[in-house]
Amino acid sequence: AYLLTGSPGSGKRLIADTFAKTLQCEESGTEPCGHCRSCSAFDSGNHPDIVYVRPTKKTLGVDDVREQILEDVSLKQYRYRYKIYIVEQADTMTVQAQNALLKTLEEPPHHALFILATTEKHKVLPTILSRCQIYDFSRISIADMVEHLEYVSSCEGVTAEPEALNVIAQKADGGMRDALSIFDQVVSFTNGNITYQ
């Protein structure tokens, strides 16, 4: 089991997806090939052996965990190497749901892998944390965000003053997703000519 934790927009979902896609890729490289049957299934959103577990309400209850994971985990993978469960917003799992998942994490079937993503690691039970490899995602620096926004600007044919991109990066508060969202909004209001003013 792996636990990805960090601020919103720091890339947890992207890494979880890329990791799962790479593990299932039939080319067995360090990156997904993008053209094998597994990669094509993933890109179309129909991969039979990658299961997304999302809260149906504000919390992920014990019934959700039973239905989406525990009843399914005993079944072997359909076609590919592993059955991978990506648990989004793991911090929304109730204590009962975490305890229900704990037994499976203690003795997981050989074909099952779990990737849990959370912004609030402290809400995940210590017993769950002790059974996961934990990867902490730190906030992205303003300089790195500005550099990426300059790259996006050049690819999209947008002119942008570095000072303007710096303001966008500051407002994003360490999340590249938020920086790109703000950037898109500003582009639409400035017709592709972003100035500090």
Side-chain angles (χ1 to χ4, degrees):
Y2 304 89
L3 185 114
L4 312 179
T5 179
S7 60
S10 59
K12 298 178 300 295
R13 169 71 187 271
L14 175 66
I15 295 298
D17 287 349
T18 304
F19 184 44
K21 186 176 178 182
T22 303
L23 288 173
Q24 301 290 46
C25 181
E26 295 173 328
E27 298 294 320
S28 299
T30 57
E31 293 181 16
C33 70
H35 60 268
C36 70
R37 197 169 45 184
S38 176
C39 288
S40 297
F42 181 87
D43 291 339
S44 67
N46 296 317
H47 201 289
D49 291 326
I50 297 177
V51 179
Y52 288 91
V53 181
R54 298 177 175 107
T56 54
K57 303 174 272 292
K58 289 186 178 184
T59 61
L60 191 59
V62 69
D63 292 335
D64 298 318
V65 168
R66 279 195 189 115
E67 289 171 17
Q68 297 181 51
I69 300 175
L70 301 180
E71 292 176 5
D72 187 63
V73 77
S74 61
L75 303 173
K76 288 203 175 246
Q77 65 272 34
Y78 174 70
R79 175 178 290 157
Y80 303 100
R81 287 186 198 141
Y82 303 102
K83 188 96 172 213
I84 300 175
Y85 297 87
I86 299 175
V87 182
E88 297 179 12
Q89 301 174 19
D91 53 279
T92 65
M93 278 193 290
T94 63
V95 171
Q96 295 83 3
Q98 291 183 57
N99 283 324
L101 180 60
L102 183 59
K103 178 69 173 156
T104 303
L105 291 180
E106 286 173 339
E107 299 172 14
H110 293 293
H111 64 272
L113 289 174
F114 296 89
I115 303 172
L116 290 76
T118 180
T119 55
E120 300 181 71
K121 180 172 71 172
H122 64 277
K123 290 186 177 179
V124 178
L125 292 176
T127 48
I128 297 270
L129 295 176
S130 71
R131 281 147 181 90
C132 295
Q133 290 185 27
I134 300 173
Y135 297 91
D136 287 301
F137 288 55
S138 49
R139 294 180 186 274
I140 301 168
S141 72
I142 291 174
D144 286 343
M145 273 200 253
V146 169
E147 183 180 329
H148 187 67
L149 291 173
E150 286 172 343
Y151 168 75
V152 171
S153 298
S154 66
C155 290
E156 297 297 323
V158 172
T159 57
E161 294 177 355
E163 298 84 8
L165 297 179
N166 195 52
V167 171
I168 292 171
Q170 288 175 14
K171 295 292 181 189
D173 194 30
M176 185 55 75
R177 180 182 60 215
D178 293 343
L180 291 171
S181 178
I182 296 168
F183 177 80
D184 285 344
Q185 292 174 16
V186 173
V187 166
S188 68
F189 286 108
T190 61
N191 295 321
N193 185 24
I194 304 172
T195 63
Y196 176 80
Q197 196 62 37

